[in-house]
């Protein structure tokens, strides 16, 4: 599958992303379910999530999950939960109970992953089917905390995994699996900056690429790819 990315400046990509969120929210509500979205940290969150503040959604029907989290307390500078609160959630009237942060601060990450699997099952059923998953991508082609060449990429059963050896610091993390990402109704991959350009070429053009980003894009229904001009330069 050759994927044609949408290439625009980041503020315009934020508009496009917000439109897709609004459409996916509408579809979920018409089907009588809450709208369940999972979000990352990093530049995708910083660039796209602030625009969601202006969306006219009934926030009581929005459930927020995370695609990954670092093993730090939720108020730590490295915490994805902190970033997502500051860029988006603190500025909308969403009930606290609708925000399901990954418990990366628990000392036993395997237990934390199992607990989050339970949290997702309770909120949206098991196996979970998210309405929308937003992914950033690293220059090595990682998405969430699924890194190239790691056995976690072939997890056959679990939706949430502990990571003890991530090459991007901090090494200890929690992540959704490719299984959970592939079950989503819509996957949106966002990548900004020239450092991502070489790997994007492989991800978008090589149907057999083993890179996590490529596998995530192949894992479900037709995805959406949002790139700024620098990321698209190759
Ligand atoms: C994290 C993120 C991670 C991120 C990529 C890309 O916790 O680090 O969730 O998966 O999306 O590493 O990050 P940048 O967009 O900041 O390069």
């Amino acid at each position: 599958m050759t994927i044609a990315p949408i290439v625009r400046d980041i503020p315009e990509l934020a508009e496009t992303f917000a439109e897709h969120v609004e459409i996916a929210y509408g579809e979920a509500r018409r089907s009588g379910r809450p709208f369940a979205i999972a979000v990352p940290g990093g530049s995708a969150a910083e660039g796209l999530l602030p625009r969601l503040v202006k969306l006219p959604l009934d926030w009581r029907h929005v459930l927020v999950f995370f695609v990954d989290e670092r093993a730090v307390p939720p108020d730590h500078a490295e915490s994805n939960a902190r970033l997502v609160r500051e860029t988006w959630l603190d500025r909308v009237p969403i009930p606290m109970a609708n925000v399901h942060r990954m418990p990366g601060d628990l000392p036993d990450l395997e237990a934390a992953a199992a607990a989050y699997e339970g949290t997702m099952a309770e909120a949206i059923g098991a196996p979970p089917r998210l309405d929308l998953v937003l992914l950033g991508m690293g220059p090595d082609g990682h998405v969430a905390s699924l890194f190239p060449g790691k056995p976690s990429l072939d997890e056959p059963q679990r939706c949430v995994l502990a990571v003890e050896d991530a090459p991007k610091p901090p090494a200890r993390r929690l992540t959704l699996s490719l299984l959970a990402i592939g079950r989503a109704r819509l996957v949106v991959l966002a990548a900004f900056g020239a450092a991502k350009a070489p790997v994007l070429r492989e991800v978008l053009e090589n149907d057999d690429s083993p890179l996590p980003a490529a596998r995530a894009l192949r894992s479900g229904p037709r995805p959406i790819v949002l790139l700024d001009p620098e990321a698209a330069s190759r």
Side-chain angles (χ1 to χ4, degrees):
M1 154 172 71
T2 302
I3 298 166
I6 297 172
V7 182
R8 294 179 190 148
D9 289 333
I10 295 173
E12 295 167 55
L13 294 177
E15 290 296 324
T16 306
F17 178 65
E19 283 162 20
H20 283 287
V21 169
E22 201 169 358
I23 292 166
Y25 168 89
E27 282 168 6
R29 295 304 299 139
R30 278 192 297 281
S31 302
R33 49 171 207 277
F35 170 63
I37 180 172
V39 294
S43 63
E46 286 167 344
L48 302 182
L49 298 184
R51 174 61 182 81
L52 302 186
V53 170
K54 287 197 278 173
L55 282 182
L57 309 186
D58 182 340
W59 296 97
R60 292 170 305 174
H61 301 301
V62 176
L63 304 179
V64 178
F65 299 89
F66 285 78
V67 303
D68 69 344
E69 182 56 285
R70 297 96 182 260
V72 295
D75 54 356
H76 192 277
E78 292 275 352
S79 160
N80 287 348
R82 183 198 58 76
L83 177 69
V84 171
R85 273 200 323 271
E86 290 179 0
T87 51
W88 172 31
L89 298 175
D90 281 351
R91 297 152 62 198
V92 294
I94 188 167
M96 290 269 285
N98 290 17
V99 179
H100 299 287
R101 76 172 182 89
M102 285 180 158
D105 49 333
L106 292 181
D108 180 345
L109 285 183
E110 289 293 347
Y116 201 68
E117 188 114 22
T119 299
M120 293 187 83
E122 204 174 304
I124 57 172
R129 184 148 195 224
L130 292 151
D131 290 293
L132 195 157
V133 171
L134 174 64
L135 298 171
M137 188 195 74
D140 58 353
H142 81 260
V143 290
S145 289
L146 298 164
F147 291 87
K150 299 285 185 191
S152 56
L153 291 169
D154 296 312
E155 166 61 35
Q157 211 171 349
R158 289 171 300 169
C159 289
V160 190
L161 304 173
V163 177
E164 298 281 355
D165 58 354
K168 176 182 176 181
R172 302 184 72 239
R173 291 156 173 263
L174 294 171
T175 186
L176 294 187
S177 63
L178 282 179
L179 197 67
I181 294 168
R183 285 185 53 78
R185 292 183 173 86
L186 178 64
V187 170
V188 179
L189 178 86
F192 313 139
K196 316 273 169 82
V199 82
L200 274 164
R201 188 179 178 136
E202 152 143 11
V203 165
L204 297 180
E205 292 183 1
N206 176 0
D207 285 348
D208 303 316
S209 170
L211 289 174
R215 291 184 59 176
L217 293 179
R218 290 199 298 265
S219 66
R222 180 163 283 273
I224 291 172
V225 177
L226 305 176
L227 307 181
D228 72 349
E230 289 76 26
S233 61
R234 295 283 282 274

